[in-house]
Amino acid sequence: MHLSFHLRLTSTFDNNIHITKFITSNISMASTGETQPAKHQEVGHKSLLQSDALYQYILETSVYPREPQAMKELREVTAKHPWNLMTTSADEGQLLNLLLKLINAKNTMEIGVYTGYSLLSTALALPEDGKILALDINRENYEIGLPIIEKAGVAHKIDFREGPALPLLDQMVEDAKFHGSFDFIFVDADKDNYLNYHKRLIDLVKIGGVIGYDNTLWNGSLVAPPDAPLRKYVRYYRDFVLELNKALAADSRVEICQLPVGDGITLCRRIS
């Protein structure tokens, strides 16, 4: 997950409201006297659950036993990368895989790829002739997972394009043949452009199709008070995520469901 950073920090605000946040370094607790719990043992841990034990139970009971071998291998390879906290969590990967099958997706797009864990989850869910337009500014990261994707026999489904997504999206919006052509689009990229993406993607996804926006609970920081000890980038991007959530809630063209899976994912089904 792009720009998601995950050391667990639980603070008490407004006496009774507990907010779970994930940040890159050890920040002192808010003035509550609480002790900072240890980091979750899972690399790339992303959960808004306040109980690490409960999240581990979900992973060990329902996620890891059903995780395809290729996805497990890619998750373990990604764990060795210095930016491993950007990866999609295993439970979210499972959700995406099931969702794609439920909607019978065939033509999809992914903006923000990293090493390709969510991309592999998508490719495994699509039929043999399914297609994924995968956009990312860093091909080097994608190539970390590419050998595993190739070994899984799904690389032929992926059309990877290196570079900023917006210029390509603008070209597609101008070409009527792309309007309503995508069954599913997953966005896990630069949060300050999420609304710019949405303005374009709404024309490219078909009526009845789904757009998924990742990180829409942004480390649990969205309900933090103004004086909360947030890192600069968390505070900066939080405003964009808040703006996106408000815009999606008011967008009559979509039905939405915001889920506390991973760092928060909002599913938007286009209805008009």
Side-chain angles (χ1 to χ4, degrees):
M1 294 184 179
H2 289 60
L3 294 172
S4 292
F5 303 88
H6 313 281
L7 287 185
R8 188 178 179 91
L9 178 64
T10 304
S11 301
T12 303
F13 301 111
D14 298 332
N15 296 325
N16 294 317
I17 300 176
H18 295 275
I19 302 171
T20 302
K21 299 182 301 194
F22 300 90
I23 55 180
T24 54
S25 60
N26 294 319
I27 295 178
S28 61
M29 300 293 287
S31 55
T32 61
E34 295 182 13
T35 301
Q36 180 175 336
K39 179 183 178 183
H40 192 281
Q41 69 185 54
E42 298 298 319
V43 173
H45 169 50
K46 297 185 181 78
S47 176
L48 297 172
L49 292 173
Q50 292 191 19
S51 168
D52 277 351
L54 183 57
Y55 183 57
Q56 190 67 24
Y57 170 81
I58 293 171
L59 292 175
E60 294 180 355
T61 303
S62 301
V63 179
Y64 291 160
R66 296 296 190 98
E67 185 180 35
Q69 180 60 33
M71 291 181 63
K72 177 183 179 182
E73 184 177 350
L74 181 50
R75 175 168 55 83
E76 292 175 345
V77 168
T78 303
K80 301 174 183 177
H81 191 268
W83 301 343
N84 59 56
L85 299 180
M86 290 168 54
T87 191
T88 300
S89 62
D91 51 331
E92 185 172 14
Q94 184 184 59
L95 171 65
L96 294 174
N97 185 275
L98 181 60
L99 174 63
L100 288 158
K101 293 172 182 175
L102 288 172
I103 66 174
N104 295 314
K106 185 174 181 179
N107 191 39
T108 73
M109 184 192 306
E110 181 161 330
I111 302 176
V113 172
Y114 185 42
T115 62
Y117 187 82
S118 57
L119 186 64
L120 178 57
S121 177
T122 297
L124 290 171
L126 298 184
E128 185 64 20
D129 60 345
K131 298 296 180 184
I132 312 167
L133 177 60
L135 311 177
D136 199 289
I137 60 173
N138 190 325
R139 185 178 185 90
E140 183 178 349
N141 288 336
Y142 167 62
E143 289 179 346
I144 293 172
L146 183 55
I148 298 172
I149 293 172
E150 291 174 336
K151 186 169 65 173
V154 293
H156 65 282
K157 301 178 185 181
I158 299 169
D159 177 10
F160 181 87
R161 310 282 187 91
E162 184 178 23
L166 286 175
L168 179 58
L169 294 179
D170 284 336
Q171 294 176 22
M172 296 174 72
V173 168
E174 292 175 2
D175 191 339
K177 73 179 181 182
F178 290 110
H179 288 202
S181 63
F182 289 91
D183 305 308
F184 178 79
I185 302 172
F186 183 57
V187 184
D188 183 8
D190 41 332
K191 314 311 167 196
D192 47 345
N193 269 320
Y194 266 29
L195 269 181
N196 290 325
Y197 292 141
H198 185 68
K199 292 173 183 177
R200 294 156 174 81
L201 297 179
I202 196 67
D203 290 328
L204 301 178
V205 71
K206 72 178 185 180
I207 293 178
V210 176
I211 307 172
Y213 291 102
D214 204 11
N215 305 111
T216 60
L217 292 177
W218 197 228
N219 305 187
S221 67
L222 303 186
V223 293
D227 59 348
L230 304 178
R231 302 291 277 184
K232 289 183 178 179
Y233 53 79
V234 174
R235 186 176 301 280
Y236 173 76
Y237 287 108
R238 179 180 66 167
D239 291 340
F240 291 103
V241 176
L242 285 167
E243 185 180 10
L244 171 76
N245 290 340
K246 183 178 180 179
L248 294 180
D251 192 340
S252 62
R253 299 169 296 179
V254 295
E255 297 173 323
I256 69 170
C257 180
Q258 188 173 34
L259 300 171
V261 176
D263 193 27
I265 180 172
T266 299
L267 301 175
C268 307
R269 177 177 178 268
R270 183 183 174 190
I271 57 176
S272 66

